[in-house]
């Protein structure tokens, strides 16, 4: 759930390079979790994963500056390619839907 994710991230942020975040989770929403993760680490690299399109409900979180967006269902290779791209870049725009 979102609360547990934030707790784990806070305790291990120096060891976590990338977060794959779902839009809907128990306890904290994807947006609440995203904002809390960014309050812990403003440079956190976070990929949003959602069944909603990038132009739909996911836009709510994307506007806050996620590192990437991947729409469900996705192929593992596409998610891994996006993760590699994000980990290799400094800071920049959100890679488009995969």
């Amino acid at each position: 759930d979102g609360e547990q994710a934030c707790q784990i991230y806070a305790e291990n942020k120096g060891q976590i390079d990338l977060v794959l975040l779902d839009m809907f989770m128990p306890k904290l929403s994807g947006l609440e979790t995203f904002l809390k993760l960014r309050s812990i680490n403003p440079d956190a690299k976070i990929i949003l994963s959602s069944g909603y399109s990038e132009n739909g409900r996911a836009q709510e979180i994307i506007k806050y500056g996620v590192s990437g967006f991947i729409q469900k269902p996705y192929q593992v290779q596409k998610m891994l390619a996006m993760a590699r791209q994000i980990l290799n870049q400094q800071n920049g725009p959100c890679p488009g839907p995969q």
Side-chain angles (χ1 to χ4, degrees), residues 27-43:
K27 296 188 181 177
L28 293 179
S29 71
L31 177 59
E32 292 170 317
T33 303
F34 173 81
L35 294 174
K36 192 164 184 180
L37 291 172
R38 282 286 172 92
S39 73
I40 296 167
N41 177 6
D43 296 323

Side-chain angles (χ1 to χ4, degrees), residues 39-87:
S39 73
I40 296 167
N41 177 6
D43 296 323
K45 295 181 178 186
I46 302 169
I47 296 175
L48 174 64
S49 175
S50 175
Y52 291 96
S53 73
E54 182 178 21
N55 296 323
R57 292 191 65 187
Q59 187 61 37
E60 178 183 11
I61 300 176
I62 292 169
K63 71 181 181 184
Y64 284 96
V66 295
S67 304
F69 173 82
I70 190 161
Q71 188 168 348
K72 294 178 186 176
Y74 54 83
Q75 296 177 343
V76 174
Q77 285 83 4
K78 288 187 177 185
M79 194 277 296
L80 291 173
M82 176 177 281
R84 178 56 43 212
Q85 177 185 354
I86 291 167
L87 291 171

